[in-house]
Amino acid sequence: MTIENTLRQADNEVIVEGLLQEVRLETRNTTDGRGFIGGEIDIEVSEGSVHTLRVFSMKEKKDGSENGIYKGLLTVKEEYVSIAKVGRDEADKVRITAGQLGVNDYVGGDGQVKTHPQLSTNFINRVQANDTFEPKAEFEVEMVIQSVAEEMDREGEETGRVKLKGFVPQYGGGIAPLEFVAEGEGAEYIRDTYEKGQTVKIYGDIVNKVEITKIEEAVGFGKPKEKIKRNFVREYLITGGSEPYEEENVNTYDVKAIGKALTEREVYLEGLIKKAEEKAKNGNKPAKKEEKKGFGSKPKKEEKTIDISDDDLPF
């Protein structure tokens, strides 16, 4: 996605440090034979708090030279050890200092576009034995404010926290709609100071955890029945932020340019729906019959490929 006057990529940094919980990476080929690596890694920051990050890299750069990012991710796939493989005591301690906040857009089974927040990175490093190990998950990002509103609970009551929605310009002119929350002094400042259309920089904690509550149900006789309730919490909690950028500031985003980017995003999302519809139609075509082989012969195993164009690549 690009617009005529490409938006400046926002400052966007994610830091995650913790134990490598699981690696789910695959090396595959596009239909025209280009190799790439992609998938997800999970990092445990604390018990019950795990963060998933997407990774992707082509095997070669556009000029045909070796891609160092691919090589690094291949090392993670083949050499890094995770909790899932060897247990918590032996798992690698890893650090990510160049992650980013973004969104994952896809078409659901109902034919509608779903958008969820997503963390991504292409640089994963082991924490060396002589380094200080500080498990954490933090963000710092510039954004254009869309709205400031009170957070409401399921009963429709105000929680005292504030929801800050905004747009984060991405590489290449794309734009990611994201939502943040603030509480206490931060919520008060945002209510009084932040307004729609302003450019600000905020930072805070990435929260992804499971809250477990045990409830004992009364019974007529015998031991009380214990019921476990799990509440999944995933949010970007603001712990600090800048004053709104001045209009004269060269880093202040032009609201009209943001509007153009949003229009182009809508076109992109419509394209996702059309692709999904075409794929569904093609999927209904009868499958080709498998060619019969003679005695003792085995069908040739097909190499994993995927139909992917330059427009689909996440960079």
Side-chain angles (χ1 to χ4, degrees):
M1 289 189 298
T2 57
I3 57 176
E4 189 173 336
N5 296 312
T6 302
L7 287 168
R8 171 182 67 86
Q9 183 179 7
D11 287 347
N12 185 348
E13 182 180 71
V14 164
I15 297 173
V16 181
E17 189 165 328
L19 291 177
L20 184 61
Q21 188 187 66
E22 188 174 359
V23 176
R24 298 182 299 280
L25 301 183
E26 275 191 289
T27 53
R28 303 177 70 180
N29 290 325
T30 63
T31 49
D32 60 358
R34 293 177 295 159
F36 67 90
I37 187 169
E40 298 176 333
I41 64 165
D42 294 336
I43 299 176
E44 181 187 85
V45 172
S46 61
E47 190 172 353
S49 178
V50 178
H51 301 273
T52 299
L53 293 98
R54 291 284 301 173
V55 303
F56 180 91
S57 177
M58 299 301 294
K59 187 174 183 178
E60 297 177 343
K61 296 179 181 179
K62 290 184 178 180
D63 62 5
S65 61
E66 181 183 38
N67 192 335
I69 295 174
Y70 177 95
K71 189 176 179 181
L73 293 178
L74 193 61
T75 299
V76 173
K77 178 181 183 296
E78 296 179 347
E79 299 180 16
Y80 281 29
V81 290
S82 65
I83 295 174
K85 278 189 174 182
V86 300
R88 184 171 280 98
D89 292 340
E90 300 298 324
D92 279 328
K93 297 173 181 177
V94 294
R95 177 183 295 142
I96 289 166
T97 57
Q100 289 196 334
L101 298 182
V103 292
N104 177 30
D105 300 310
Y106 65 94
V107 179
D110 60 357
Q112 300 300 309
V113 173
K114 314 292 181 184
T115 298
H116 294 293
Q118 177 176 272
L119 305 179
S120 62
T121 188
N122 280 336
F123 303 96
I124 305 145
N125 299 302
R126 289 189 180 103
V127 177
Q128 301 303 316
N130 58 345
D131 285 352
T132 303
F133 180 54
E134 299 178 321
K136 58 188 169 185
E138 300 173 345
F139 69 85
E140 181 175 327
V141 66
E142 286 179 306
M143 64 179 292
V144 177
I145 298 172
Q146 179 188 14
S147 66
V148 176
E150 295 298 323
E151 182 188 62
M152 314 295 283
D153 62 21
R154 292 181 181 179
E155 285 70 42
E157 299 292 329
E158 293 184 1
T159 65
R161 305 201 309 175
V162 164
K163 289 166 63 175
L164 179 66
K165 291 184 179 181
F167 306 110
V168 178
Q170 308 272 288
Y171 174 78
I175 198 164
L178 290 167
E179 180 177 300
F180 305 82
V181 294
E183 55 191 22
E185 183 183 345
E188 208 172 312
Y189 183 88
I190 289 171
R191 285 190 194 98
D192 296 340
T193 313
Y194 285 5
E195 295 178 2
K196 180 178 180 179
Q198 292 176 332
T199 300
V200 297
K201 179 180 284 189
I202 55 175
Y203 55 90
D205 299 323
I206 303 170
V207 180
N208 191 28
K209 63 182 180 180
V210 182
E211 295 177 340
I212 298 177
T213 306
K214 293 182 180 180
I215 304 171
E216 288 191 350
E217 293 185 345
V219 294
F221 67 93
K223 185 179 178 181
K225 184 179 179 182
E226 188 176 78
K227 199 171 184 180
I228 297 176
K229 183 179 179 182
R230 289 179 173 83
N231 181 38
F232 295 89
V233 180
R234 182 179 183 181
E235 61 188 17
Y236 299 140
L237 179 62
I238 301 170
T239 58
S242 71
E243 293 183 351
Y245 291 12
E246 298 289 343
E247 286 187 19
E248 299 78 17
N249 190 325
V250 294
N251 290 324
T252 298
Y253 286 102
D254 177 51
V255 176
K256 290 182 180 179
I258 294 294
K260 288 181 181 179
L262 287 172
T263 299
E264 186 141 323
R265 174 172 166 77
E266 289 301 317
V267 173
Y268 164 74
L269 296 180
E270 289 172 7
L272 288 183
I273 293 175
K274 288 180 181 178
K275 281 185 180 180
E277 290 173 346
E278 290 173 4
K279 188 175 181 180
K281 288 179 183 178
N282 293 333
N284 292 328
K285 292 180 179 179
K288 293 182 179 179
K289 290 184 178 180
E290 185 176 322
E291 183 181 352
K292 292 183 179 180
K293 302 291 183 179
F295 177 79
S297 63
K298 293 182 180 179
K300 185 179 179 182
K301 187 177 181 180
E302 291 187 6
E303 187 177 3
K304 284 187 176 181
T305 63
I306 187 169
D307 187 6
I308 188 170
S309 67
D310 286 338
D311 291 335
D312 296 322
L313 301 179
F315 56 82

